[in-house]
Amino acid sequence: MPAYLDDNGTWYALFYYENFKKEKKRKKKRGFGTEQEANDYEDDFKAKASLARYLPFKDFAGIYMENVGPRVRISTYDTKVQSLSKWIVPFFEKKPLNEITSIDIVHWQVWLSEARKKNGEPLAPTYVRKLNSELAAIFNHAAKNYDLDPNPVKKVKKTGKQRADEMKIWSKAEFDLFLDAVCDKAASYYAFEILYWTGIREGELLAITPADFDFENCYLDISKSVYRRGGEDIVGPPKTEKSYRRFRIPRFLAEEVEEYIRLFLHIADDERIFEGLTRKYLCNEMDRGCKIAGVKRIRVHDLRHSHVSILIDMGYSATDIANRVGHESIDITYRYAHLFPNSQQSMAARLQDAGSQRRCVQEIEGCPI
């Protein structure tokens, strides 16, 4: 079939094709810039749809990445590629897609449970859950777009855990000890100072410039993030739409950062404050500082958890905290509730007080208790 011109000036492909079951199906795809692109899509789709039954899993995984690649951030794409190439494709590699069964997926889950990282540790339960979701995405994509039936993941329960059992945080006292331990390196000192008192992500930290600060009014703008690709820093958009944000910072922090830029860096407003630093550098500095200070080892990302815990302890609402740190949903913020075991004791004590007051009123009024 020929391509068609849409009302908005783009082209769309509308055609019938035969899937690997020899069934006739209708397909429509919008948003092509030219008629040729729409026609090319039709030819490519028909070829892949008819061969899907015979494609080895590895080849279909490549098609899947071609399809989803344009719709995700580059950093997300790279993460998917790494997960697939290391923990998914090697297991299913040569087996035809439509011959993979539910029991094959169960065997893969067992294989994951026995897998070990380079340091000999098992995969984190949260990462195992993520890998389960990645595999499900591939089969769901095949079922939706290439008529794969049956979909083997439908009958298999995901393994792993959605969230970690423990979320480590630092108290202000622990952070102060750590900060004293790394104060011999100005970049480390100010990087960790900003992470702890703002709760921004590591990629957001590495992307900030002097222009992102309003030092007079104590504001910080987050509009970009840094990730590594091929050994180079790539400055791109932040993690989600909610990650674009402007929020106030403590005056002491604004003054410290302004002084650091003025005395140590001498950079232009559009140059990155932490140019040359990497996530690996921050991780190594975390190791060094914890060892010197004698405080428990936490991840660099746990400084973000520590910041959220401070705000919760101060009594701020989940909505206010989510807006400040760039959570996509306040449901994410609610995951931090377990950081405050004493809050349950406090709640029980206040309920006890309320109950006691009620009994006193009943006694005075002569009501049965």
Side-chain angles (χ1 to χ4, degrees), residues 78 226-235 272 275 278-279:
D78 289 345
V226 165
Y227 65 95
R228 298 281 288 181
R229 193 182 204 196
E232 295 183 1
D233 284 348
I234 305 295
V235 179
R272 290 196 289 132
E275 179 82 40
T278 63
R279 286 179 171 84

Side-chain angles (χ1 to χ4, degrees), residues 201-301:
R201 301 176 178 92
E202 296 158 66
E204 295 169 346
L205 170 83
L206 299 177
I208 56 175
T209 66
D212 294 322
F213 287 91
D214 178 347
F215 293 113
E216 182 177 352
N217 298 302
C218 300
Y219 276 104
L220 174 59
D221 289 306
I222 298 297
S223 61
K224 51 192 176 294
S225 183
V226 165
Y227 65 95
R228 298 281 288 181
R229 193 182 204 196
E232 295 183 1
D233 284 348
I234 305 295
V235 179
K239 185 176 181 180
T240 66
E241 286 299 317
K242 288 290 183 68
S243 298
Y244 289 93
R245 61 200 188 278
R246 175 181 173 85
F247 58 91
R248 283 187 177 274
I249 59 176
R251 179 161 295 281
F252 76 82
L253 183 63
E255 292 174 350
E256 286 184 11
V257 175
E258 185 176 27
E259 183 179 35
Y260 171 59
I261 294 171
R262 178 170 53 84
L263 296 180
F264 291 90
L265 301 182
H266 310 292
I267 58 175
D269 283 348
D270 61 349
E271 292 184 78
R272 290 196 289 132
I273 294 174
F274 297 105
E275 179 82 40
L277 266 63
T278 63
R279 286 179 171 84
K280 184 176 181 180
Y281 172 87
L282 294 173
C283 184
N284 289 339
E285 283 297 277
M286 180 67 80
D287 287 335
R288 182 176 74 93
C290 289
K291 185 175 181 180
I292 295 173
V295 297
K296 66 175 179 286
R297 174 66 163 87
I298 65 174
R299 303 172 304 163
V300 177
H301 188 74

Side-chain angles (χ1 to χ4, degrees), residues 109-170:
Q109 291 175 333
V110 173
W111 178 73
L112 277 186
S113 69
E114 298 173 348
R116 293 294 181 268
K117 296 183 289 187
K118 290 182 178 180
N119 60 7
E121 295 181 357
L123 303 181
T126 50
Y127 187 57
V128 169
R129 186 60 170 241
K130 181 180 178 181
L131 292 173
N132 274 251
S133 297
E134 290 286 5
L135 181 67
I138 294 175
F139 282 104
N140 291 337
H141 184 77
K144 179 180 179 180
N145 297 287
Y146 297 97
D147 297 314
L148 178 68
D149 187 36
N151 183 346
V153 299
K154 293 294 185 181
K155 297 181 180 180
V156 182
K157 185 178 180 180
K158 290 181 179 179
T159 55
K161 296 182 179 180
Q162 287 185 307
R163 62 189 67 173
D165 292 331
E166 180 183 8
M167 188 180 292
K168 294 181 179 179
I169 62 170
W170 270 346

Side-chain angles (χ1 to χ4, degrees), residues 6-263:
D6 219 335
D7 294 338
N8 61 4
T10 62
W11 291 82
Y12 67 91
L14 178 62
F15 56 89
Y16 288 92
Y17 70 97
E18 192 176 76
N19 66 9
F20 57 82
K21 291 184 175 182
K22 304 301 180 181
E23 298 170 333
K24 196 172 185 179
K25 298 287 184 177
R26 183 176 181 268
K27 180 69 176 179
K28 185 176 184 179
K29 177 74 171 179
R30 284 191 164 96
F32 297 101
T34 65
E35 180 180 9
Q36 186 61 49
E37 288 177 2
N39 286 327
D40 289 344
Y41 172 82
E42 177 181 348
D43 294 338
D44 185 58
F45 185 93
K46 285 180 177 178
K48 290 174 179 176
S50 63
L51 293 173
R53 180 178 184 178
Y54 308 102
L55 285 177
F57 180 86
K58 180 178 181 180
D59 293 341
F60 187 83
I63 292 174
Y64 166 75
M65 291 307 299
E66 288 179 8
N67 292 164
V68 303
R71 302 199 301 269
V72 299
R73 298 170 69 237
I74 297 178
S75 56
T76 302
Y77 178 89
D78 289 345
T79 300
K80 281 180 172 289
V81 168
Q82 185 176 12
S83 297
L84 287 173
S85 62
K86 191 167 185 178
W87 300 112
I88 299 178
V89 170
F91 187 87
F92 299 102
E93 194 168 9
K94 296 180 180 180
K95 191 160 188 175
L97 186 72
N98 71 311
E99 292 183 14
I100 296 175
T101 64
S102 297
I103 194 63
D104 290 324
I105 294 175
V106 172
H107 290 161
W108 170 74
Q109 291 175 333
V110 173
W111 178 73
L112 277 186
S113 69
E114 298 173 348
R116 293 294 181 268
K117 296 183 289 187
K118 290 182 178 180
N119 60 7
E121 295 181 357
L123 303 181
T126 50
Y127 187 57
V128 169
R129 186 60 170 241
K130 181 180 178 181
L131 292 173
N132 274 251
S133 297
E134 290 286 5
L135 181 67
I138 294 175
F139 282 104
N140 291 337
H141 184 77
K144 179 180 179 180
N145 297 287
Y146 297 97
D147 297 314
L148 178 68
D149 187 36
N151 183 346
V153 299
K154 293 294 185 181
K155 297 181 180 180
V156 182
K157 185 178 180 180
K158 290 181 179 179
T159 55
K161 296 182 179 180
Q162 287 185 307
R163 62 189 67 173
D165 292 331
E166 180 183 8
M167 188 180 292
K168 294 181 179 179
I169 62 170
W170 270 346
S171 66
K172 171 65 164 52
E174 289 174 307
F175 177 67
D176 285 343
L177 289 172
F178 170 81
L179 208 57
D180 287 343
V182 297
C183 68
D184 57 325
K185 295 183 180 180
S188 298
Y189 180 92
Y190 290 104
F192 288 115
E193 183 90 317
I194 292 172
L195 287 171
Y196 186 81
W197 291 111
T198 66
I200 62 176
R201 301 176 178 92
E202 296 158 66
E204 295 169 346
L205 170 83
L206 299 177
I208 56 175
T209 66
D212 294 322
F213 287 91
D214 178 347
F215 293 113
E216 182 177 352
N217 298 302
C218 300
Y219 276 104
L220 174 59
D221 289 306
I222 298 297
S223 61
K224 51 192 176 294
S225 183
V226 165
Y227 65 95
R228 298 281 288 181
R229 193 182 204 196
E232 295 183 1
D233 284 348
I234 305 295
V235 179
K239 185 176 181 180
T240 66
E241 286 299 317
K242 288 290 183 68
S243 298
Y244 289 93
R245 61 200 188 278
R246 175 181 173 85
F247 58 91
R248 283 187 177 274
I249 59 176
R251 179 161 295 281
F252 76 82
L253 183 63
E255 292 174 350
E256 286 184 11
V257 175
E258 185 176 27
E259 183 179 35
Y260 171 59
I261 294 171
R262 178 170 53 84
L263 296 180

